[in-house]
Amino acid sequence: MSSAYTGEKYRLSLAQIINMSVGFFGIQFGWDLQRANMGRIYENLGAHPDQVPFLFLAAPLTGLLVQPIIGYMSDRTWHPRWGRRRPYFMVGAILSSIALILMPYSSALWMAAGLLWILDTCGNVAMEPFRAFVTDNLPDSQVNHGFIMQSFMIGLGGSIASALPWLMNNIFHLTNTADAGTIPENVRLSFYIGAFFFLASVLYTVFTTKEYPPSDLGFRDKVKESNKGFGGGAKEIISAMRNMPTRMKVVSLVQFFTWPGLFLMWFYYATAVAVNVFGGKDASDPVYAKGADFGGLTLSYYSVITFLFALVLPAIANKLGRKYTHSLCLLCGAIGLISIKWVHDKYFLFGCMTGVGIAWASILSMPYAMLSGVLPKDKVGIYMGIFNFFIVLPEIIASLGFGWLMKNVLNNDRLLAVQLGGGLMILAAIVCIVFIREKKSEVTEHEVLTDLGIAEQ
């Protein structure tokens, strides 16, 4: 009883695939802007390092509910003009952009945490249907192409967003320090720019793409007749969780150990660079501010690596298979995070972030490629929402428990927290290698390379 299209789908041109992916540029712009700067904003507003994880808690708790619900709703939505997924893109983008504009006006921790809650919730409304959007609009031979194009957009948006505070300070000479309880000028303007790109990019995709109409034109009447309501929807989500394909269960476990490493990096990396590499003291210290800006610049660099590595990732997966490719990429990310401890020259941080960029390119595409073909066509939205549980759950666990660990075990050492994240990535790589069973017939990336015009002649 979904609005799924089950007929034959036409192959899209490269320009059409770019159009349907541009929205992800804006969504990732918003994500990376807050990932690179929220830890710094919280400390500017008086938070201690052990309080930072808890201040991120509301957002993943909401995401745990929002993602499967939006997936369920978008599976059952159809509008003759706006389609199935695009209404959610647009509403999420509008509300997220408003939150980005308001964030620099935060004058207290509760206000910043509340706006981050709104930003993440609305960002999930915009982002969650995007993965299903690829499966909806592309034939099976181009699905990987669509995910890789999204990786391009994610890398491009993330690289610009993470570098913005550094650019605002070093190119446009906006101040990067502020009194306690206020947000630095370079960070404030970066959030305004992020709001523009978030909204403009998503609207571009909404107005330049179309979606296939439902194969079953009477699906609305059947949905009404079923009289499922909210309770029925919850039962369907629970049923989908119980009946997850075996491959999805294993890939979800890989995600469960991968994402804490990323969260710990986003929580603490920029401030760890400011304190451990630059020797800054606190948010009012110009040395600390310079280090935090430089940390953001290196985060931007890993997004550039992601953008470039996505070009060669299909060829590597074609040779090694998806699970070995993903495992090796995760190990590169782990090495990058763990090796930060031995950095004495700030420019070596770019080498560390190279490994993280390689891992990020794979995290954005390989898990979804490994799921392609095993999910029911009429429930892709629900299953993508459930799959995101295993991104959100680790963040909830980290938010609830890592503050205690940070204070009582790690002695508020931000760098040790980042290194622990690298260790979890190693565990994820081991799970991927040992437990995922992959057939040679699954490796079809050569078609993607041909579409991009970079296959071997």
Side-chain angles (χ1 to χ4, degrees):
M1 298 182 190
S2 79
S3 55
Y5 177 76
T6 57
E8 183 179 354
K9 299 173 187 176
Y10 295 103
R11 291 176 64 84
L12 300 187
S13 67
L14 180 59
Q16 289 173 313
I17 295 176
I18 290 173
N19 287 345
M20 65 183 287
S21 303
V22 165
F24 232 118
F25 168 86
I27 291 173
Q28 196 62 34
F29 205 107
W31 286 126
D32 273 299
L33 197 60
Q34 54 111 333
R35 285 167 177 167
N37 293 285
M38 283 311 301
R40 178 184 184 178
I41 288 173
Y42 283 147
E43 292 197 16
N44 268 88
L45 295 175
H48 297 292
D50 57 275
Q51 295 176 307
V52 170
F54 186 76
L55 292 168
F56 280 89
L57 178 61
L61 279 175
T62 306
L64 192 66
L65 298 174
V66 168
Q67 290 167 352
I69 291 172
I70 293 298
Y72 171 78
M73 290 173 61
S74 67
D75 279 344
R76 300 158 67 89
T77 295
W78 176 256
H79 186 277
R81 180 176 180 183
W82 301 110
R84 177 161 41 153
R85 315 291 182 185
R86 288 178 295 155
Y88 300 93
F89 303 163
M90 187 161 57
V91 172
I94 292 170
L95 296 177
S96 295
S97 297
I98 293 172
L100 284 168
I101 291 171
L102 294 177
M103 182 67 77
Y105 292 99
S106 298
S107 57
L109 285 173
W110 68 265
M111 184 176 179
L115 285 170
L116 180 62
W117 176 21
I118 295 170
L119 177 58
D120 273 14
T121 300
C122 299
N124 278 313
V125 172
M127 183 194 71
E128 199 284 329
F130 247 104
R131 297 294 187 185
F133 191 53
V134 170
T135 305
D136 291 344
N137 283 10
L138 293 174
D140 291 342
S141 63
Q142 288 189 306
V143 166
N144 289 337
H145 188 176
F147 285 132
I148 290 166
M149 187 58 68
Q150 283 190 358
S151 294
F152 290 163
M153 294 299 174
I154 288 169
L156 184 60
S159 62
I160 298 172
S162 298
L164 267 183
W166 185 91
L167 292 171
M168 293 296 105
N169 176 244
N170 289 271
I171 305 299
F172 299 101
H173 307 294
L174 299 181
T175 58
N176 62 354
T177 58
D179 295 332
T182 58
I183 310 300
E185 188 179 15
N186 64 331
V187 174
R188 188 166 64 248
L189 185 60
S190 296
F191 272 79
Y192 299 154
I193 294 171
F196 169 78
F197 278 115
F198 197 132
L199 184 59
S201 301
V202 170
L203 290 181
Y204 179 86
T205 287
V206 167
F207 289 114
T208 60
T209 58
K210 296 181 179 180
E211 297 181 71
Y212 285 101
S215 291
D216 181 3
L217 296 177
F219 84 96
R220 285 185 181 277
D221 293 332
K222 292 181 179 179
V223 168
K224 291 179 181 178
E225 288 172 8
S226 68
N227 195 28
K228 287 187 173 182
F230 179 79
K235 289 180 180 179
E236 188 167 341
I237 293 170
I238 293 170
S239 174
M241 291 180 66
R242 289 175 176 169
N243 295 285
M244 283 194 297
T246 301
R247 167 68 64 82
M248 182 176 172
K249 293 177 182 178
V250 179
V251 178
S252 296
L253 186 61
V254 174
Q255 294 285 80
F256 185 82
F257 290 118
T258 297
W259 280 84
L262 295 170
F263 291 136
L264 292 177
M265 179 185 72
W266 291 324
F267 288 170
Y268 293 116
Y269 172 76
T271 53
V273 170
V275 174
N276 296 79
V277 179
F278 277 70
K281 295 180 180 179
D282 54 42
S284 62
D285 182 358
V287 175
Y288 175 100
K290 186 176 180 181
D293 285 347
F294 192 83
L297 182 65
T298 57
L299 288 175
S300 170
Y301 172 78
Y302 95 66
S303 294
V304 173
I305 294 297
T306 297
F307 179 82
L308 296 175
F309 189 72
L311 290 169
V312 300
L313 184 60
I316 296 172
N318 193 36
K319 298 291 185 183
L320 301 180
R322 292 167 183 163
K323 76 166 187 175
Y324 288 111
T325 299
H326 190 50
S327 299
L328 287 173
C329 290
L330 289 176
L331 290 174
C332 288
I335 292 169
L337 292 178
I338 293 171
S339 63
I340 295 171
K341 180 177 177 61
W342 294 278
V343 169
H344 299 291
D345 184 328
K346 64 181 182 180
Y347 293 105
F348 281 105
L349 290 170
F350 289 106
C352 299
M353 289 297 103
T354 297
V356 175
I358 290 171
W360 187 227
S362 185
I363 291 166
L364 293 173
S365 56
M366 284 297 107
Y368 298 95
M370 285 188 279
L371 287 183
S372 63
V374 303
L375 302 180
K377 296 292 185 185
D378 61 338
K379 295 183 179 180
V380 173
I382 293 178
Y383 275 108
M384 285 298 180
I386 294 170
F387 190 57
N388 282 332
F389 277 177
F390 300 93
I391 295 174
V392 174
L393 281 173
E395 187 176 6
I396 292 174
I397 294 170
S399 297
L400 286 173
F402 200 79
W404 180 90
L405 191 67
M406 190 72 173
K407 183 177 181 179
N408 295 284
V409 179
L410 302 183
N411 196 31
N412 277 332
D413 189 325
R414 303 165 181 84
L415 185 53
L416 281 178
V418 174
Q419 288 186 294
L420 180 59
L424 290 170
M425 278 194 181
I426 293 175
L427 182 57
I430 293 171
V431 171
C432 187
I433 291 173
V434 173
F435 293 105
I436 290 180
R437 299 288 180 263
E438 190 172 58
K439 299 177 181 178
K440 290 184 179 180
S441 59
E442 293 182 54
V443 184
T444 59
E445 280 81 4
H446 180 76
E447 292 179 74
V448 178
L449 294 176
T450 302
D451 289 337
L452 288 172
I454 57 176
E456 294 178 0
Q457 300 297 321

